[in-house]
Every structure is written in C-alpha cells, then in structure tokens.
C-alpha cells in the first residue's frame, strides 16, 4: 500500500515536471517570438528614420540650391545696349557684361579693331596666345615725353593764372572812362574765351596721350578758377555801368552850364590822363596778345608733333603686340618672368612684414634685458641663449632692491569680449581670410573655440541682439567662404570640422544632463546660463549637412575622370586582352593615381581632425560612387564584357580593397566591412564575367549575384563575348533560367527596375556627439590671426 502511494507521488511529480517544462518551453517560445517582433519593429523604425533623415537632407540640399539660384538671379543686373563709343567710359566702369553692338544696323568703326594705348592690359595674359610684352625702352621714352608735356601744361596754367591776376588787379582800379573800360572788359572776355578753348584743346590732346589724372584735375581746378574770374568780370561790368549812371545823373544836376564843372580845367586834364592810360592798356594788351599768339602756336606745334609720335608709337605697339613669340621657349620665358615678378613682390611684402615683426621683437627683448639687469640679474646672455637658468634662492640682490612679490596668476573665465562694431572684422579675419595652410598650424577647431567663447560672453552679459548678430555673421561668413573657394575641397573639410566642433561645444556647454556626463566640474560651471541655443544647434547642423553634401559632390566630380582609366581600362596583367583591345593608359591614370588622391583626402581629414565616424561615412560614400560609376560604365560598354577584362577589373578592384583594409582599419573592423560592402555590386559583376555559364551553374550564379538585380545580370550576360574559341557561349536558355530564379528569390519584388545604379545618391549623415577635453580658459589667440585689439580675454 505504501509502495503504491510512493509510485503515485512519483507519477504526480513527473506529471508536474512535464507540465512545468511544457509551460517553460511555451514561455520561452513566446519571449523569443516577442524579441523577434521587437527586433523587426526596431529595424523597421530605424529604416524609416533613416529614410526620413535622407529625405530631409535631400530637401535641405534642394533648398540651398534654390536659394543659390535666387541669389545669383538677384546679383545679375539687366543688360544694356551700348549705342555709341561715347558710352565707353561709362560702361567700362561696370563689372557686368554689356552687349557691344553700337546701334542697330550700324557698321562698327575700323578704329575700334585696334585698341588704344591706354586700353592695353600690360599685366594680364591671354588664354589663346602668348602674353604680350611691351618694349621697355619704348615705354620709357613715352613716359618721358608725357612728363615733358605735363610740365609744359603746368607752365601754361601758371601763366594763365598770372595773367588773370593782372587782369583782375587792373579791373579793380577806379575807372576813368566807363566806355573805354567796358570795351576793355569785352576784349578781355573774348581773350578769356579763346584761352579757355585753348585749354580744352590741350586737355583733349593730353587725354589722347595718357595724361595722368593729377594733371587733368589741375586743369579742371584752373577751369573753375577761370569761371570764378569771369563772374567777377561780370560783376565789375555792373559796377562800371552803375558808376556811369551816377556820373550822368551828376552832370544832369549841373544842367548846361559846363563851366561850373570845368572851372579849373579838370575835365581836360582828366581826359588827357584817361587817354594816356588807355594807350598804355592798349599797348600792354597788344603785347599780351602777341605773346599768347606765339605761345599758342608753339603749343600747337608741340601737340601736333606729340600726336604724330603717339600715332607712330601706337602703330609700333599694335604691331609688336600682334607678333607672337618666335618659339615656345620665348613664350615660356615671358610667362615665367611675369610669374616670378609676381612671386617676388609677394615675397618682398612678406619679408617686410617679418622684418617689422623682428624689429618689434628685438625692441621687446632689449627692454626685457634692461629690466632684468635693473633687477640685479647678470646672467642675461645665458637666458637669451636658451638656457633655462633658474635663480637660486641664495642669490644675493642689492640691498636697495626690495623683495619682489609675485602676483597671483589671473584666473580666466573662458570668454572673449568684443565690440559689436568689430564683429564684421573678426568674422572676416577668423573665417573669410583664414587660409588652410595657416589653419593646419593652429589648434584643430580653434576658430570654433574662439567663436563659442564669444558666444559665452554674450550669454554672460545677457545681450541677446549681439548673440543673434554673431550667429548670423558666422553663418553668412562660412557660406561666403565656401562659395568663394568652391574649387578647393580642403576649405570644405576645414569648415566642416569647425562647424561640427562649434555644434559639439554648444551641446557640451548647454547645461543639458545628456551632454554633461563626460564634463569636468569646471566645464559644468562654464555652461550657458541664460540662452537656450537648441534652435541654433539645428541651424549649425543644417549648415554642416550642406558643407558635407558640397564636399561629397566636389570629390565625386574630381574622381569621375579617374574611375574609368583606373578600374575599367587599366591593364596591369600582361598577356590578357579582350576581343577589341583598348590601348593601355599611362600608369599615372591607374589605381595608383586613385589611391594617391584617396590618401590625400584621408590626410586632410586627419589633419583637420574631422570626427572619426564622419570620416568613415565619407569614405563609404566615395567608394559607393566608385562602384556605381564603374558598374554603370560596364553595363553600357560591350567591349568590357569578356573574361579577360573581368580578370583585369577584378585585379584593379583588389587594389582598392587593400587600401581600405590598410587605411581604414584604425576606425574599426565594422567600418572596413561596411566600406567593402558597397563595392559588392561591381565585384559580383566582374565575377559573373569570370564564372562558368553552363546550365549546371545557374544556382551558383544566382547565389553569387546577390547584390545585383535581374535586369543587370541579364544585361551583362547578353553583352558577354567569349574571348577564346573554347569558351562556352551564353545560351538563351541559361539567361532565361537565371532571370526566372532571380525573380523568385526573396525581396525581388522590391528591386529597382532601373538598369543603372544611382551614382548621385548621398547617404543620410548623422553627426554624433563628440565632447572636447580642452579647457576654454587655456585657449589663446595666436598673432597669425591678426585679432589683436579686437578680442579681450576675460
């Protein structure tokens, strides 16, 4: 009985164990299924987030492109029609192109085909021919002649001024006879008009022979002086007329009794005196007329002679400028002389600046040496030679020198104070004028640190308008710099790194606990107190995305001309050739050239310390473009679809794979695998060219082409040309079977229906948070930035 109960208890225990195990297995399956569902949902959400991010970045790129088009349309002024040559001086001051038709239906003057001497650009070279070099001796002779003419004109102007002064002095004398004075004034006005005409002719002659602006200005001033003299003459005429009227009224008061007026013979004596004065004035006027006639005749002869010489020199110059150099050596020598002259001027300016700095530093050293000597330190020479001489505590100083108490080192707050009116100058020197070779010698991201410390000061003094103005200036300055230097990718790398550094600084010192985990207590104390810059963080992120997309586009444009020669056409393996052999390009266009450019890009990214995840993303994007562009060219060229070319292309791709493994290994194995994965389409395409193509190999071929679409595989097989007679030709049945199996594989419905890959696609980029351990209070502004007096460290 007891044994039966024990057996029943054992059976019950076994039953309970079975129930528990079944329940445990059911729960385990439930948890596994739930984990799978959660993982699938997570992947779907990540994919959706990635698609949304990529769509937003595409829209952002389109927005910047539209904004650029609007700005360019606003900058382009409306075109004008230049009807006559008289508008040339006005239109020459405009920077925009003007339609040069000189009127509708008119014939262009023959004189315009030969440029005037002043229109010759002596420094600018020609794109279509050699740079014209003028005869130095001829130019010097012409300059000497111009200086002589200028001095002659100066003497003429001085003489005219003296005559005007004499004329005015005589006109200011009390008139003795109003009628004669009026005649004299009229004659002098006629002479004045003639002189003015002569000066105008002299000015025109001076313009034709490159008269300088200074001389023309002097002539204009003289003309203004003559106008003033003429006005004074008119006033004098009115005074004379008024005096005549007064005399007539005086005579009318006496009536017809002339004896009362001429009781002492005053009228007769006055008449005789006036006649003598008139004769003297007439003689002087005749002499002045004769002198001016001779002077004007000599000036006319001289001007005519100079005009003839000018025309002769212009003919010589036009003939000399139209003659090309005798050989390439002369042309090269001329261009080299121009280039060396420009370099010499630049070097001389730099030497002058360095000399001035050296002189200033020597003065400072001299002052410091004097102070050290006054303090009783005699071993000054050892200090100057670089020996770190430390004065021992037992050094005896003179008794009259009191003990020097060292002041406590100042504790800085990590801010830069600046004035609002200096903001534009700071932005110009720190952003627009900053050169890449200068930036490489500075602390990486130093401009971003300086700008953030300026932002901290606006937060410290609670000046919101100043903060908004600074952020606007940063955004405008960066855009202006990159548009100005759009042909240099290193500037894009420099400001991509600086914008990300500024963005990360704004995150790190925002006061948000999410970004404070790696901060020191001092850095947490330096967080922004008043302003919430989260909106500006998004603005900086958008600017960084714009810079990143522009950098990728520019690099792709540079690499586009290298991909086909380096990957598809370069033949390094000897003894292999397709049915239609392509001449082997020069070695400089092979994979070595492409790897050299990739290495240079990698070095620039490391020098400017672009964030490591972003570097990996850039190279993934570049190798995707290389793969897409290569595969598209392969799908469009039948001469590349053969076994021999497949072997050559695979060998060329292996160079890139080796470069990835050697240079991107520092970013982690995952980065290497992700970058290699984007090369799979072109790798599988060339493997398809080398694979066997019998009916027994259908399944392995489909499995091998996992990253290619059915349309691409069928296109390559249709274009495939056997290189040798013993190679098996691709049959239609093989292609149909391949197409059938590829359409039945999972995910075939979602495959792209396009034959070519989208080589212009840019992956969505995400900027990860990267805090800095650099202390803001330790940052100093180097002298090379030329910001002395504009920023004050507090």
């Amino acid at each position: 009985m007891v044994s039966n109960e024990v057996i029943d208890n054992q059976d019950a225990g076994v039953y309970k164990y079975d129930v528990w195990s079944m329940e445990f297995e059911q729960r385990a399956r439930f948890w596994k299924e739930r984990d799978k569902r959660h993982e699938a949902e997570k992947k779907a959400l990540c994919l959706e987030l990635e698609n949304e991010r990529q769509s937003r970045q595409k829209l952002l790129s389109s927005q910047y492109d539209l904004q650029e088009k609007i700005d360019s349309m606003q900058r382009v002024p409306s075109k004008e029609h230049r009807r006559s040559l008289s508008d040339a001086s006005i239109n020459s001051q405009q920077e925009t192109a003007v339609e040069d038709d000189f009127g509708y239906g008119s014939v262009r003057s023959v004189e315009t085909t030969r440029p005037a001497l002043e229109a010759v650009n002596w420094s600018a070279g020609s794109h279509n021919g050699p740079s014209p070099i003028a005869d130095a001796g001829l130019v010097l002779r012409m300059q000497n002649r111009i200086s002589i003419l200028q001095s002659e004109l100066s003497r003429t102007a001085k003489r005219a001024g003296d005559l005007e002064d004499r004329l005015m002095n005589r006109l200011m004398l009390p008139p003795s006879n109003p009628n004669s004075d009026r005649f004299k004034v009229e004659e002098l006005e006629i002479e004045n008009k003639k002189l003015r005409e002569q000066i105008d002719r002299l000015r025109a002659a001076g313009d034709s022979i490159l008269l300088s602006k200074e001389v023309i200005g002097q002539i204009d001033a003289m003309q203004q002086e003559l106008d003033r003299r003429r006005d004074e003459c008119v006033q004098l005429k009115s005074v004379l007329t008024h005096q005549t009227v007064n005399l007539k009224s005086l005579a009318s008061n006496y009536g017809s009794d002339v004896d009362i007026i001429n009781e002492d013979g005053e009228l007769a004596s006055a008449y005789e005196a006036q006649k003598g004065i008139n004769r003297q004035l007439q003689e002087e006027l005749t002499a002045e007329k004769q002198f001016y006639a001779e002077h004007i005749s000599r000036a006319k002869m001289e001007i005519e002679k100079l005009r003839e010489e000018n025309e002769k020199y212009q003919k010589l110059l036009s003939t000399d400028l139209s003659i090309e150099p005798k050989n390439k050596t002369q042309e090269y020598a001329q261009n080299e002389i121009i280039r060396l002259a420009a370099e010499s001027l630049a070097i001389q300016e730099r030497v002058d600046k360095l000399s001035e700095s050296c002189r200033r530093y020597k003065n400072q050293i001299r002052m410091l040496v004097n102070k050290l000597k006054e303090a009783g330190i005699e071993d000054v020479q050892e200090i100057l030679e670089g020996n770190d001489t430390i004065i021992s505590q037992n050094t005896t100083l003179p008794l009259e020198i009191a003990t020097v108490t060292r002041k406590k080192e100042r504790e800085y707050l990590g801010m830069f104070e600046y004035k609002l009116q200096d903001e534009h100058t700071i932005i110009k020197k720190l952003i627009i004028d900053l050169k890449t070779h200068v930036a490489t010698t500075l602390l990486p991201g130093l401009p971003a640190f300086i700008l953030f410390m300026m932002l901290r000061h606006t937060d410290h003094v609670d000046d919101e308008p100043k903060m908004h103005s600074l952020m606007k200036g940063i955004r405008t300055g960066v855009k202006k710099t990159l548009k100005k230097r759009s042909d240099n990718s290193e500037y894009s790398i420099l400001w991509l790194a600086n914008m990300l550094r500024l963005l990360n600084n704004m995150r790190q010192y925002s006061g948000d606990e999410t970004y404070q985990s790696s901060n020191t207590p001092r850095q947490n104390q330096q967080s922004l107190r008043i302003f919430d810059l989260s909106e500006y963080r998004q603005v900086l992120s958008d600017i960084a995305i714009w810079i990143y997309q522009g950098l990728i586009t520019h690099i792709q444009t540079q690499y586009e001309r290298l991909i086909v020669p380096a990957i598809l056409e370069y033949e390094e393996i000897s003894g292999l050739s397709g049915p239609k052999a392509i001449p082997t390009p020069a070695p400089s266009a092979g994979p070595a050239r492409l790897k050299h450019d990739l290495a240079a890009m990698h070095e620039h990214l490391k020098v400017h310390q672009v964030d490591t995840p972003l570097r990996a993303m850039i190279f993934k994007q570049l190798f995707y473009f290389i793969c897409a562009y290569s595969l598209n060219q392969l799908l469009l060229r039948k001469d590349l679809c053969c076994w021999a070319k497949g072997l050559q292309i695979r060998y060329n791709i292996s160079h890139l794979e080796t470069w990835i493994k050697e240079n991107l290994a520092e970013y982690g194995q995952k980065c290497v695998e992700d970058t290699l994965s984007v090369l799979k389409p072109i790798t599988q395409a060339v493997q398809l060219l080398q694979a066997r193509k019998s009916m027994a190999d259908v399944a392995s071929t489909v499995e091998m082409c996992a990253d290619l679409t059915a349309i691409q595989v069928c296109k390559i097989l249709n274009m495939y040309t056997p290189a040798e007679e013993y190679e098996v030709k691709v049959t239609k049945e093989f292609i149909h079977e391949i197409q059938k199996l590829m359409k039945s594989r999972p995910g075939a419905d979602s495959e792209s229906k396009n034959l070519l890959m989208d080589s212009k696609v840019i992956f969505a980029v995400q900027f990860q948070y990267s805090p800095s351990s650099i202390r803001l209070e330790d940052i100093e502004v180097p002298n090379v930035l030329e910001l002395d007096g504009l920023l004050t460290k507090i």
Side-chain angles (χ1 to χ4, degrees):
M1 191 68 181
V2 175
S3 60
N4 291 333
E5 291 179 357
V6 172
I7 293 173
D8 292 339
N9 292 332
Q10 291 178 353
D11 292 339
V14 171
Y15 175 75
K16 289 180 180 179
Y17 176 76
D18 293 338
V19 171
W20 290 344
S21 61
M22 292 176 60
E23 185 178 358
F24 180 77
E25 291 177 357
Q26 291 177 357
R27 291 185 177 182
R29 285 195 299 270
F30 171 77
W31 288 109
K32 287 181 180 179
E33 291 176 359
R34 193 181 71 171
D35 291 341
K36 289 181 180 179
R37 287 197 305 271
H38 288 173
E39 189 68 25
E41 292 176 358
K42 181 180 178 181
K43 290 182 179 179
L45 290 174
C46 291
L47 182 60
E48 184 179 358
L49 178 62
E50 186 72 16
N51 294 333
E52 289 293 335
R53 185 182 292 115
Q54 190 164 2
S55 300
R56 183 185 179 280
Q57 293 181 8
K58 286 183 179 179
L59 291 175
L60 185 64
S61 177
S62 302
Q63 176 188 352
Y64 280 114
D65 293 340
L66 291 175
Q67 187 65 36
E68 178 65 23
K69 291 180 180 178
I70 293 173
D71 295 340
S72 61
M73 292 174 66
Q74 291 176 351
R75 287 194 299 267
V76 175
S78 59
K79 291 187 177 181
E80 302 175 355
H81 287 279
R82 191 166 56 186
R83 300 291 181 128
S84 64
L85 291 174
S86 62
D87 298 329
S89 62
I90 300 175
N91 293 327
S92 64
Q93 298 175 0
Q94 299 178 355
E95 295 181 356
T96 56
V98 182
E99 295 182 23
D100 194 6
D101 58 358
F102 298 103
Y104 298 102
S106 61
V107 181
R108 184 172 297 183
S109 175
V110 181
E111 295 179 356
T112 59
T113 59
R114 185 182 68 185
L117 186 62
E118 60 268 24
V120 177
N121 188 357
W122 301 98
S123 61
S126 175
H127 296 286
N128 299 327
S131 302
I133 304 299
D135 187 3
L138 181 61
V139 173
L140 291 175
R141 289 197 298 272
M142 293 188 67
Q143 290 179 352
N144 188 20
R145 180 64 65 181
I146 289 170
S147 63
I148 293 173
L149 182 60
Q150 289 176 354
S151 60
E152 186 68 20
L153 286 174
S154 301
R155 288 195 298 270
T156 304
K158 184 177 180 181
R159 182 66 177 171
D162 294 340
L163 291 176
E164 286 293 328
D165 294 338
R166 293 172 59 187
L167 176 63
M168 294 306 300
N169 291 332
R170 289 182 179 177
L171 289 176
M172 293 299 292
L173 294 175
S176 59
N177 191 341
N179 294 326
S180 63
D181 289 342
R182 184 174 66 254
F183 297 149
K184 181 178 65 175
V185 169
E186 290 175 357
E187 290 178 359
L188 290 177
E189 285 179 353
I190 294 172
E191 292 298 325
N192 188 12
K193 184 177 180 180
K194 290 181 180 179
L195 288 174
R196 214 165 112 190
E197 292 175 357
Q198 294 296 333
I199 291 173
D200 291 335
R201 284 196 293 272
L202 286 175
R203 184 189 299 136
D207 290 339
S208 64
I209 56 175
L210 296 175
L211 189 60
S212 64
K213 294 182 179 179
E214 291 78 5
V215 178
I216 295 175
Q218 294 176 4
I219 294 175
D220 292 337
M222 186 180 67
Q223 183 62 47
Q224 295 176 2
E225 183 67 19
L226 289 177
D227 293 338
R228 189 175 65 81
R229 300 294 186 186
R230 182 184 60 187
D231 296 337
E232 292 179 357
C233 289
V234 173
Q235 293 177 3
L236 289 174
K237 286 175 66 177
S238 63
V239 172
L240 289 173
T241 306
H242 182 67
Q243 290 180 354
T244 303
V245 174
N246 293 336
L247 289 174
K248 286 182 179 180
S249 62
L250 179 62
S252 63
N253 293 332
Y254 288 98
S256 60
D257 193 359
V258 183
D259 295 333
I260 299 175
I261 303 174
N262 195 21
E263 57 184 358
D264 295 331
E266 295 177 357
L267 290 177
S269 61
Y271 178 70
E272 293 297 331
Q274 186 63 41
K275 285 174 64 176
I277 293 172
N278 288 342
R279 283 195 299 271
Q280 183 181 358
L281 289 174
Q282 187 66 31
E283 292 175 358
E284 291 182 1
L285 185 59
T286 304
E288 292 295 338
K289 284 183 178 180
Q290 185 178 359
F291 171 77
Y292 261 99
E294 295 176 356
H295 180 73
I296 293 300
S297 63
R298 289 196 302 271
K300 285 183 178 179
M301 293 175 61
E302 185 70 19
I303 290 172
E304 189 65 28
K305 187 185 299 183
L306 290 174
R307 184 180 293 110
E308 292 176 358
E309 291 183 2
N310 184 23
E311 292 179 355
K312 181 176 66 176
Y313 290 152
Q314 282 190 351
K315 291 179 181 179
L316 291 175
L317 281 176
S318 61
T319 304
D320 185 56
L321 295 176
S322 61
I323 298 175
E324 297 183 355
K326 296 180 180 179
N327 49 34
K328 294 294 182 181
T329 304
Q330 184 179 357
E331 178 182 354
Y332 175 77
Q334 292 174 354
N335 296 330
E336 192 68 15
I337 288 171
I338 295 174
R339 185 183 65 81
L340 291 175
E343 290 182 358
S344 177
L345 290 176
I347 292 173
Q348 185 63 37
E349 292 179 358
R350 187 177 178 185
V351 168
D352 293 340
K353 291 182 179 179
L354 293 176
S355 300
E356 181 64 22
S357 300
C358 183
R359 185 187 62 80
R360 187 170 63 252
Y361 293 150
K362 284 182 178 179
N363 292 334
Q364 293 178 0
I365 291 173
R366 192 178 299 110
M367 293 173 60
L368 293 174
V369 168
N370 293 333
K371 290 182 179 180
L372 290 175
K373 289 182 178 180
E374 291 176 0
I377 300 175
E378 300 297 337
D379 299 333
V380 178
Q381 189 63 32
E382 296 182 4
I383 298 176
L384 295 177
E385 292 175 357
N387 297 328
D388 296 334
T389 305
I390 302 175
I391 303 176
S392 60
Q393 296 180 357
N394 297 326
T395 302
T396 59
L397 297 178
L399 296 176
E400 62 272 12
I401 300 178
T403 305
V404 179
T405 304
R406 183 178 298 274
K407 297 176 65 175
K408 183 180 180 181
E409 186 178 356
R410 183 176 177 181
E411 184 178 358
Y412 292 100
L413 301 177
M415 304 178 192
F416 280 125
E417 183 181 5
Y418 68 100
K419 298 179 181 178
L420 185 59
Q421 58 267 25
D422 295 335
E423 179 185 296
H424 177 73
T425 306
I426 295 172
I427 294 296
K428 185 177 184 299
K429 291 182 178 294
L430 193 59
I431 298 179
I432 300 176
D433 295 342
L434 181 62
K435 302 297 188 295
T436 53
H437 66 274
V438 176
T440 55
T441 62
L442 305 175
L443 174 71
L446 179 62
F449 282 109
I450 294 176
L451 293 172
F452 179 72
M453 292 168 70
M454 294 166 62
L455 276 174
R456 285 198 64 234
H457 183 263
T458 62
D459 176 80
H460 182 70
V461 298
D462 192 10
D463 193 343
E464 186 173 356
K466 192 174 181 181
M467 182 269 294
H468 290 303
S469 176
L470 179 59
M471 291 302 300
K472 182 179 179 181
I474 293 171
R475 185 170 66 252
T476 305
V478 171
K479 288 184 178 180
K480 182 178 180 180
T481 302
L482 295 184
K483 289 177 182 178
K484 181 180 177 182
R485 299 182 172 93
S486 58
D487 57 340
N488 193 336
S489 59
E490 190 173 357
Y491 280 95
S492 298
I493 295 174
L494 168 64
W495 286 109
L496 177 61
N498 277 282
M499 287 298 98
L500 292 180
R501 183 70 266 151
L502 182 58
L503 174 62
N504 287 322
N505 286 344
M506 293 171 66
R507 291 172 176 173
Q508 184 176 0
Y509 295 93
S510 64
D512 192 349
E513 295 180 358
T514 308
Y515 303 116
Q516 288 185 336
S517 58
S518 59
N519 286 358
T520 62
R522 177 65 173 170
Q523 288 176 333
N524 288 332
Q525 292 176 3
Q526 294 174 341
S527 299
L528 300 176
R529 300 182 298 106
I530 299 174
F531 298 147
D532 181 12
L533 301 180
S534 56
E535 295 183 359
Y536 279 114
R537 293 206 300 265
Q538 184 61 47
V539 172
L540 288 179
S541 178
D542 292 343
I543 295 176
I545 291 172
W546 173 70
I547 299 174
Y548 171 80
Q549 292 177 347
L551 173 64
I552 294 299
T553 303
H554 182 261
I555 298 175
Q556 289 177 354
T557 304
Q558 288 183 328
Y559 287 7
E560 188 172 344
R561 58 185 176 83
L562 301 175
I563 294 174
V564 173
I567 297 179
L568 302 181
E569 296 180 351
Y570 185 74
E571 296 184 0
E572 189 172 352
I573 304 177
S574 59
L576 294 176
S577 62
K580 297 180 181 180
I582 301 173
T584 304
S588 60
R593 171 64 185 278
L594 190 57
K595 291 193 297 182
H596 176 269
D597 289 359
L598 289 170
M601 177 61 57
H602 190 211
E603 183 64 23
H604 290 158
L605 293 172
K606 291 176 66 176
V607 166
H608 296 290
Q609 289 195 2
V610 177
D611 294 341
T612 301
L614 188 58
R615 289 187 230 170
M617 190 68 188
I618 290 174
F619 282 107
K620 181 180 179 181
Q621 180 70 55
L622 293 181
F623 280 103
Y624 169 82
F625 174 76
I626 293 173
C627 172
Y629 193 84
S630 302
L631 181 60
N632 292 343
Q633 294 294 321
L634 179 65
L635 293 170
L636 296 176
R637 291 178 55 174
K638 188 176 181 180
D639 58 320
L640 298 176
C641 294
C642 62
W643 180 86
K645 291 303 299 181
L647 184 61
Q648 293 281 1
I649 295 171
R650 184 68 187 90
Y651 183 74
N652 294 335
I653 294 174
S654 65
H655 285 283
L656 300 182
E657 293 176 345
T658 304
W659 188 91
I660 293 172
K661 294 175 182 177
E662 292 177 352
N663 293 273
L664 303 186
E666 58 182 299
Y667 305 140
Q669 185 63 27
K670 187 177 184 302
C671 172
V672 175
E673 294 175 356
D674 291 343
T675 308
L676 290 175
S677 65
V678 299
L679 291 175
K680 286 184 178 179
I682 183 63
T683 303
Q684 294 173 5
V686 296
Q687 287 176 348
L688 178 62
L689 296 176
Q690 302 175 68
R692 293 180 301 179
K693 301 170 183 63
S694 60
M695 295 301 295
D697 303 316
V698 171
S700 60
T701 302
V702 172
E703 183 179 357
M704 179 181 63
C705 301
D707 292 286
L708 296 174
T709 63
I711 300 176
Q712 293 170 344
V713 173
C714 294
K715 179 69 174 178
I716 294 174
L717 293 176
N718 283 321
M719 291 194 304
Y720 181 80
T721 304
E724 303 292 343
E725 297 179 355
Y726 58 82
E727 286 191 42
V728 178
K729 294 184 179 180
V730 181
T731 61
K732 294 183 178 179
E733 291 79 6
F734 179 77
I735 296 176
H736 289 324
E737 191 66 23
I738 290 287
Q739 186 176 11
K740 180 180 177 181
L741 283 180
M742 294 197 74
K743 288 184 177 180
S744 62
R745 62 183 180 178
D749 297 336
S750 60
E751 288 183 354
S752 175
K753 302 301 179 183
N754 298 327
L755 173 64
L756 304 179
M757 293 180 66
D758 187 4
S759 60
K760 300 299 182 183
V761 67
I762 297 180
F763 299 143
V765 62
Q766 184 178 4
F767 304 123
Q768 299 182 7
Y769 171 59
S770 176
S772 174
S773 59
I774 296 176
R775 299 177 0 136
L776 298 180
E777 56 270 19
D778 295 339
I779 293 178
E780 301 288 345
V781 179
N783 295 329
V784 72
L785 295 179
E786 299 179 355
L787 293 175
D788 295 340
L790 300 175
L791 295 177
T792 304
K793 188 175 180 180
I794 62 174

